[in-house]
Amino acid sequence: MSTEPSAAAPSDFIRDIVAQHSAEGRYPKILTRFPPEPNGYLHIGHAKSICLNFGIAREFGGTCNLRMDDTNPTKEDTEYVESIERDVRWLIGGWADHVVGLKAEPVEPFYASDYFGKLYDFAVLLIQKGKAFVCDLTGEQMAEFRGAPERPGKPSPFRDRSVEENLDLFARMRAGEFADGTKTLRAIIDMASPNIHMRDPVLYRIRHAEHHRTGGAWCIYPMYDYAHCLSDAIEGISHSICTLEFEVHRPLYDWLVDEVGLWKTRPHQYEFARLNLTYTVMSKRKLLQLVEEKLVTGWDDPRMPTISGMRRRGVTPQALRDFAYHIGVTKYMSLTDVAVLEHAIRADLNKHSQRRLGVLRPLKVVITNFPEGKTEMCAAANNPDEATTRDVPFSRELWIEQDDFMEVPAPKYFRLKPGGEVRLKYAFIIKCDEVVKDAAGNVVELRCTADLDSKSGGPTAGRKVKGTIHWVSAALAIEAEVRLYDRLFTESEPEKDGRDFKSVMNPHSLEVVRAKLEPSLADANAEVRYQLERLAYLTLDPDSRPGALVFNRTITLKDAWAKETQKA
Ligand code: ATP
Ligand code: MG
């Protein structure tokens, strides 16, 4: 696997900032982080963030911490933790050489839950400084007191509790004396701030729940805004890069980091626009719905925009990294056409895939002037960039693609038609003499003659015919299941105007065919990407068994949707 990005490292406003800090020597080391919450599998949006954070670490000789932001016990699970590690390793494992825990096996992520003790001590410190208090308001009351951006909030009646009382109550919250939702710890900031997040935000809540790592050790859990910035500070993160919706949280981030301590490296937050893609939904919550309601086969269903789904489908890490580089990093919200992702996938597979012959929807062809029982080998190129070839057997009976024959040809149809000629790739020119039909009138067989001098190196090899089609030997082809995937949704913006995305699912997003493939594919290897010439890129699916191969169509060679739009 290549260890180099195929494009030069990009430049963007975040990299410009990091470059400047790096040149100034502002930090001993550039330290970024990627902080997923283990409440689902990672998706292509996360891939953008991973490539940015690990990419910056890589380009500036720094490090990127993979940190599980596991502060919400009820939604998180070790299954998700494990999938996240696997996906991050897969995406950047062969690429980043400045990555803590990803250079050596096994991956060692950081966990926000490892900081629960420290975070508790910081909260005690804030109470001692008179900067936090225990509040008895219910969630509903709190929302009412908080007010709205244009109208100041009202202070909680518990805001003036003494430091001693707050210390005592907070200790008892931790000891489990109070029920869920009856008390919170809140910062004392500014109930009149135009920024709602600064109106005495909640720092801790009571949750009598088992945590997937700390078990029953805690019954109070820190809120995201509190845990996140302080985890950054604990780890000495220099650049905390997140998506735009956190811009309004930044004053709170700064307030907490500065109230809690004097840090050797004081982290700063920078925001960029998240990735949105057409024909996709991207939040983990929605992807979980697809999984739970069995609208897909699982998180790694090859139609899912998850990293694990795309890996199973045959997308390479290089293609995802190329895509992330190509779309760039900005502060403007936008919607990226999924065709851009598909282009990156095709470009990468085109370079790296092994060419093979195979037929997805077979139609029988009999070469009447080719002897029965004879096999002739044809040299077929493995990849246009390599000089190597392999032998593909030709015999009297062949399969061709149903689409490559038209009994009543359309104008400019250059493939096979009655009386017409076509070249069989790497083999002979054939002419269709006779069309055989079944009782229902379906074409079931074509009887053809071959120009046996027209193979490469033969006397009539240079003879030009307009079309070239693919084929396999009927006697020697292997049969395999091929899963043909299409977009999951029929609408480019599945949730446009509040529409339920489940109402626009593409009923044809999966089609399964029994394909006829050249015999060499019996030894197909899951590490290798294949191109069925003229058709599609294929990869072996984990469901595959010896003698019962299953392939996924990663993507067609051409963009069928673009054609659709052109036609319309
Ligand atoms: P989701 O809404 O899908 O659950 P999230 O933001 O809640 O996403 P986290 O696990 O909190 O998921 O995200 C980890 C990191 O990935 C965060 O820094 C977040 O900003 C980033 N991220 C999530 N979605 C995207 C996206 N679509 N584009 C870019 N970065 C993203
Ligand atoms: Mg989140």
Side-chain angles (χ1 to χ4, degrees):
M1 194 180 295
S2 162
T3 54
E4 281 305 308
S6 60
S11 95
D12 52 63
F13 77 98
I14 293 184
R15 284 176 164 93
D16 289 346
I17 294 168
V18 177
Q20 193 186 334
H21 293 167
S22 193
E24 289 166 2
R26 184 181 297 205
Y27 301 102
K29 174 163 101 164
I30 300 300
L31 188 51
T32 57
R33 87 284 170 270
F34 171 67
E37 182 181 357
N39 61 352
Y41 281 59
L42 299 180
H43 52 61
I44 177 84
H46 294 113
K48 173 176 179 177
S49 176
I50 294 168
C51 291
L52 176 61
N53 281 293
F54 284 92
I56 285 176
R58 183 173 184 274
E59 291 148 34
F60 293 91
T63 301
C64 178
N65 291 350
L66 168 60
R67 181 198 313 142
M68 302 296 168
D69 207 339
D70 55 349
T71 54
N72 188 357
T74 51
K75 288 192 180 152
E76 297 163 4
D77 197 87
T78 42
E79 178 198 342
Y80 298 137
V81 170
E82 285 161 13
S83 75
I84 289 170
E85 281 187 40
R86 192 163 52 234
D87 291 349
V88 172
R89 266 186 66 79
W90 174 80
L91 184 55
I92 52 129
W95 177 48
D97 20 45
H98 300 291
V99 179
V100 156
L102 287 159
K103 212 154 71 168
E105 306 260 348
V107 180
E108 279 178 69
F110 294 73
Y111 293 88
S113 56
D114 282 346
Y115 310 140
F116 282 169
K118 279 189 183 147
L119 294 172
Y120 179 83
D121 293 344
F122 292 155
V124 169
L125 183 83
L126 287 175
I127 296 172
Q128 285 166 338
K129 288 177 70 177
K131 299 286 183 176
F133 71 104
V134 173
C135 185
D136 297 3
L137 291 183
T138 63
E140 221 167 86
Q141 292 169 323
M142 221 184 287
E144 198 188 301
F145 277 64
R146 193 174 293 126
E150 65 289 352
R151 139 174 85 78
K154 273 191 308 186
S156 159
F158 305 99
R159 201 180 200 240
D160 299 324
R161 275 175 167 157
S162 68
V163 168
E164 289 66 37
E165 189 184 2
N166 281 321
L167 287 173
D168 173 62
L169 285 173
F170 189 51
R172 287 162 59 196
M173 277 169 66
R174 184 205 173 154
E177 271 188 43
F178 308 115
D180 286 7
T182 57
K183 285 188 168 37
T184 54
L185 182 75
R186 296 175 67 184
I188 298 177
I189 309 181
D190 179 5
M191 288 307 288
S193 170
N195 183 342
I196 290 278
H197 299 283
M198 298 299 273
R199 295 186 184 177
D200 293 5
V202 174
L203 307 180
Y204 267 91
R205 64 204 188 295
I206 301 172
R207 225 1 100 79
H208 291 269
E210 282 283 305
H211 185 278
H212 64 99
R213 288 187 84 236
T214 58
W218 295 88
C219 63
I220 56 171
Y221 289 94
M223 301 300 288
Y224 172 87
D225 275 331
Y226 177 75
H228 190 84
C229 56
L230 294 173
S231 300
D232 283 349
I234 291 167
E235 290 175 12
I237 301 298
S238 57
H239 298 80
S240 179
I241 302 165
C242 60
T243 40
L244 277 181
E245 54 293 7
F246 291 98
E247 195 163 16
V248 287
H249 298 240
R250 185 165 10 113
L252 179 55
Y253 184 106
D254 290 333
W255 187 91
L256 282 163
V257 167
D258 291 334
E259 287 295 342
V260 165
L262 286 174
W263 306 96
K264 251 201 284 181
T265 298
R266 196 277 202 200
H268 288 268
Q269 177 181 303
Y270 306 87
E271 306 88 13
F272 69 99
R274 66 193 294 116
L275 170 69
N276 296 302
L277 263 190
T278 57
Y279 295 98
T280 310
V281 295
M282 208 144 13
S283 106
K284 283 181 280 187
R285 190 172 51 78
K286 290 164 197 159
L287 298 177
L288 179 65
Q289 270 185 58
L290 293 175
V291 173
E292 283 185 335
E293 295 175 28
K294 301 210 180 328
L295 296 166
V296 294
T297 58
W299 286 99
D300 70 344
D301 185 306
R303 292 166 293 179
M304 288 280 268
T306 51
I307 295 182
S308 53
M310 290 190 288
R311 174 173 60 230
R312 180 166 184 178
R313 184 155 166 167
V315 175
T316 65
Q318 182 76 56
L320 293 186
R321 297 194 302 248
D322 289 347
F323 170 68
Y325 270 20
H326 180 80
I327 55 175
V329 176
T330 70
K331 265 208 179 275
Y332 309 103
M333 302 266 223
S334 64
L335 180 63
T336 300
D337 191 333
V338 73
V340 178
L341 172 63
E342 292 168 347
H343 175 81
I345 295 169
R346 286 194 182 94
D348 177 64
L349 291 173
N350 182 42
K351 258 185 271 163
H352 298 117
S353 63
Q354 292 286 308
R355 273 45 173 180
R356 294 292 182 266
L357 295 180
V359 172
L360 294 179
R361 294 181 176 85
L363 172 62
K364 176 70 72 65
V365 164
V366 178
I367 310 294
T368 50
N369 63 336
F370 196 86
E372 235 162 301
K374 179 176 169 184
T375 302
E376 181 162 341
M377 289 300 177
C378 303
N382 289 324
N383 184 301
D385 294 339
E386 294 170 14
T388 62
T389 59
R390 66 189 186 289
D391 282 341
V392 181
F394 184 94
S395 50
R396 181 180 163 91
E397 297 203 349
L398 309 171
W399 298 112
I400 66 164
E401 206 69 52
Q402 285 169 18
D403 271 0
D404 285 335
F405 172 76
M406 275 183 101
E407 192 180 13
V408 183
K412 299 207 172 161
Y413 185 83
F414 297 127
R415 291 168 277 167
L416 203 53
K417 51 194 164 198
E421 280 191 319
V422 79
R423 176 173 287 281
L424 298 177
K425 190 143 197 199
Y426 307 119
F428 309 100
I429 293 170
I430 60 167
K431 181 173 176 201
C432 177
D433 306 315
E434 190 188 342
V435 179
V436 182
K437 295 184 184 176
D438 64 13
N442 302 308
V443 176
V444 291
E445 186 180 300
L446 305 176
R447 300 184 66 81
C448 302
T449 40
D451 173 352
L452 295 171
D453 290 329
S454 61
K455 214 175 104 175
S456 170
T460 57
R463 193 152 75 78
K464 292 271 179 283
V465 290
K466 279 216 163 121
T468 300
I469 65 174
H470 58 273
W471 54 276
V472 289
S473 153
L476 295 162
I478 60 162
E479 205 172 80
E481 174 176 326
V482 179
R483 297 176 182 168
L484 309 176
Y485 301 105
D486 199 351
R487 296 173 183 172
L488 250 192
F489 301 98
T490 51
E491 294 291 330
S492 66
E493 294 174 71
E495 296 178 284
K496 196 171 178 153
D497 303 329
R499 174 171 53 205
D500 178 1
F501 61 89
K502 285 178 286 179
S503 69
V504 289
M505 300 212 55
N506 178 1
H508 309 295
S509 61
L510 170 63
E511 185 192 353
V512 179
V513 296
R514 304 279 320 160
K516 309 283 187 182
L517 307 176
E518 69 167 70
S520 74
L521 279 168
D523 301 321
N525 173 339
E527 298 305 310
V528 179
R529 299 291 179 277
Y530 301 98
Q531 183 201 90
L532 280 195
E533 293 211 36
R534 302 184 61 237
L535 290 175
Y537 295 101
L538 296 194
T539 195
L540 212 56
D541 187 83
D543 286 346
S544 218
R545 297 286 167 268
L549 298 184
V550 179
F551 289 90
N552 293 319
R553 180 176 72 187
T554 311
I555 197 160
T556 52
L557 286 199
K558 294 199 192 96
D559 184 351
W561 288 66
K563 246 192 314 191
E564 286 302 313
T565 352
Q566 275 164 21
K567 260 192 236 157

